[in-house]
Amino acid sequence: MLSVEEVKELENLCKENRRNIIEMVYSAQSGHIGGSLSSCEILTVLFHKCLNNVLGWKNSPDYEKRDRFVLSKGHISPLLYSVMAQVGYFDREELKTFRKLGTRLQGHPASFIPGVEIATGSLGQGLSFACGIAMSLKLDNNPANVFVMLGDGEMQEGNVWEALMQGAHRNLDNLVAIIDRNMLQIDGNTEDVMALGNITEKLNAFGWNTIEIDGHNIQAVYSAIESAKSANKPTVIVANTVKGKGVSFMENNPGWHGTAPKEPDYLRAMEELK
Ligand SMILES: Cc1ncc(C[n+]2csc(CCOP(=O)(O)OP(=O)(O)O)c2C)c(N)n1
């Protein structure tokens, strides 16, 4: 359990992340706001409280024991970069270079960024990467865990289901997948585009340990991740969220999936996130 003070601190960090997301996409006039805002509590809790600390480990023999994180829904790079700046991978100042030519913080994460394990952005691949990493850690008797974050629209990619079979077949109990179940993808509601139905039941049937939570409840996110670490099967956390969470006119609106705000909407959003 997190203390009341810890929850309060994480709420403030989430608020900062939401402001950074809006600021970065506005300033670049390009990027993905909706799915960044919906995943905010998940990545904030994961990086601040759950991943074993990899910073400063580079030159230590323990570096190999770092938990790995794969952002399969790589388009939410504004959130990833903001959280990584908070925990110290790079300076918050660098966030201003988001999507600018010749800089590190491009639209999708690349492995030349310190702390990014693998380049992502082509949806459907991250869970397979993560399975491969989890298998190799087991072969090395390495106790680290692998976390991977997927979108619900992304679950329509066939490769994801091969990886789900693989995870169960190899009993990768060092693997934790988190699905941002915000019910929206680019073209609208996932159930209209290609229905996923009850993902939790489906993944249970695939042999995974499943946990379903409110993905904006900080305490619930933390408890789910911590219990996943000690499960004796691969775990998937289905996090029910709201796309665009935190900015009233962006919530549940697929129009804000990958659109940059113009000045009036930027100012309105920042006013709401004060
Ligand atoms: C293979 C592939 N096809 C298409 C895209 C373009 N694309 C970027 S985001 C997105 C929608 C993703 O929806 P979802 O997984 O639900 O993400 P979220 O709503 O959480 O942002 C698409 C189709 C892509 N990045 N990769």
Side-chain angles (χ1 to χ4, degrees), residues 54-74:
V54 301
L55 295 172
W57 279 24
K58 268 272 176 200
N59 301 315
S60 135
D62 279 341
Y63 182 64
E64 282 306 314
K65 294 188 191 147
R66 71 194 185 282
D67 288 334
R68 274 64 164 177
F69 174 66
V70 175
L71 182 63
S72 192
K73 52 175 242 174

Side-chain angles (χ1 to χ4, degrees), residues 35 73 75 121 123 151-154 157 182 184-186 243 257:
K73 52 175 242 174
H75 57 281
L123 295 169
D152 52 358
E154 181 183 9
E157 293 278 356
N182 61 28
L184 291 178
Q185 56 192 97
I186 285 187
K243 197 154 175 169
H257 168 80

